[in-house]
Amino acid sequence: IAQEVNQVFPDVVHKGENDEYYGVNYSEFAAIFIEAIKEQQLIIEDMRAQHDEELAELRLALDQHVSNSSTEKERYADQE
């Protein structure tokens, strides 16, 4: 496992005395995980803002459609 981890996170892997065995300093993963969570949170916040903006646009379009539809119904009713 340590050799595989070494390919991605070489800073947390150390070699044994005779360089035959690798070891992983698991406590160093905490900082990596914290940074990853921070990055993920920024992505979530950006996606939430984009979602809120798109939802507001859809609500506006729906309101306009309903308003136009009501106006057309009133015109049709006046013609009868």
Side-chain angles (χ1 to χ4, degrees), residues 19-36:
D19 290 343
E20 186 176 334
Y21 296 101
Y22 288 83
V24 177
N25 185 355
Y26 290 101
S27 63
E28 298 213 13
F29 274 112
I32 294 170
F33 292 151
I34 289 170
E35 288 305 311

Side-chain angles (χ1 to χ4, degrees), residues 54-72:
E54 290 173 355
L55 183 59
E57 290 173 6
L58 285 172
R59 286 181 174 159
L60 179 62
L62 180 60
D63 288 346
Q64 289 173 346
H65 177 73
V66 169
S67 177
N68 290 341
S69 180
S70 297
T71 304
E72 290 299 318

Side-chain angles (χ1 to χ4, degrees), residues 40-65:
Q40 187 178 40
Q41 190 60 36
L42 289 174
I43 292 169
I44 290 169
E45 289 170 5
D46 287 345
M47 291 176 73
R48 182 175 289 147
Q50 182 180 358
H51 171 264
D52 290 347
E53 187 177 306
E54 290 173 355
L55 183 59
E57 290 173 6
L58 285 172
R59 286 181 174 159
L60 179 62
L62 180 60
D63 288 346
Q64 289 173 346
H65 177 73

